[in-house]
Amino acid sequence: MTRPRFLTGGLATLAVASAFTLSTPAAHAEGSADKCGQAAVAAVYTSVVHDPIFRTVPATSHDEWRWERDVPSTDFQYTKVITPARDETDWTRTVSGAVEYLYTRTVIDQPAVPGTPAVPEVGHFNTVVIMPAVTVLQDEYQQQVTGKLRWESPDWGAQNGNGDGWVKTGNTRELEITPAVTEQVRVIDVPGTPATPGSLAVTHVETLWATSLPTGDGWTGPIDTRTDDPTTETVTTDGTPPAGAGWTIVATRHFDAVVDTVWASSAPDGYTATGADRPGASTHEETDVTSAAAPAGDGWSAIDSTLVTITDTPASQVLVTPGSVDQVLVAPGRPATAPCPGAVVAGPQAAPAVQASVAPAGLPNTGGVPGWMAPSGFAAALAGAVLIRATRRHADR
């Protein structure tokens, strides 16, 4: 970008003074501007270049790890009655001259229990977003001369595009800088159950001497007979006397229940909790992917050896001040003076503005300029421009 501008301050004064001191004729320094026959003097300009200034935006990043924990469990005590408590009674009686028959039956104390197979748990995996994707908004720009398209930030046109013919087309997009970080979490829909062992039926055999088939279910026989022994003995488990008359109690016995006790995380079929518990085996868990924060739940700790640094945004250069070129007035021009009396007048001529790199060789009616003065004036003007450029760049920074 080029724009005319007058120098101000000490540097401008130095540059102008040097130009006038070294590049103008001696007669001009003595007030020759008021004399007749002076030609027009062109204004002298120089170009001051301002380099663009950029600011470095550092990269941003964050640390991530894989995570681990040990999940404790609790076992509970459960019991199941295999054989209930029972009492047995011995009975006896004397039968005179009667024929008795021996009958038998099998009494089921505890029915057989079939075993059940283990049922695996049913579940599925859900995708959980640990860290959302990082995106930036971009606008589409079009070059008005070439028609070329490009995607840049919404404020890119204000910094670069307006002066180069770039305008927004109205199209926008979201550009993904960093993809989302996810992990697979298993969700249990139906808990599994462990296998339970079966048990055989618990039975005992009862025998009874009787003159006829005893009442009750399950009696079979007779399997034997007797007539010589008038004394009969038998055993019952329910406390009631055998069928027939004349029975007396000989003895009684008590049998405690047979109870099975197990420790498990949940109650097997047919078992009842006692209320007791104890620590169970712990389960070690580790995440498959890294994350900055621990997963949901208690007890997670970072695995130090898995530390990784994730770059969120790379380092970039941001334009702070665009470059420019200023056209600075070094020495003003002046119009020609009236012709001297008797002088031959050629037509009026306009005095064009010149750059500082073109120094006038001499003016009429001044006696001329020494050969070293014009280059010296030009060198002084250029030195002033260089000083101005260096000072401007230092101030901008």
Side-chain angles (χ1 to χ4, degrees), residues 287-331:
T287 60
D288 296 328
V289 297
T290 61
S291 62
D298 299 328
W300 290 101
S301 61
I303 303 175
D304 293 338
S305 60
T306 64
L307 171 65
V308 293
T309 300
I310 305 299
T311 299
D312 301 318
T313 56
S316 61
Q317 295 286 329
V318 176
L319 180 66
V320 176
T321 304
S324 63
V325 178
D326 292 341
Q327 292 295 324
V328 180
L329 179 65
V330 175

Side-chain angles (χ1 to χ4, degrees), residues 49-53 321-324 389 393 396-397:
V49 179
H50 302 284
D51 293 334
I53 299 175
T321 304
S324 63
R389 175 180 179 182
R393 290 178 61 186
D396 288 341
R397 292 178 182 172

Side-chain angles (χ1 to χ4, degrees), residues 339 343-349:
V344 178
V345 180
Q349 296 180 353

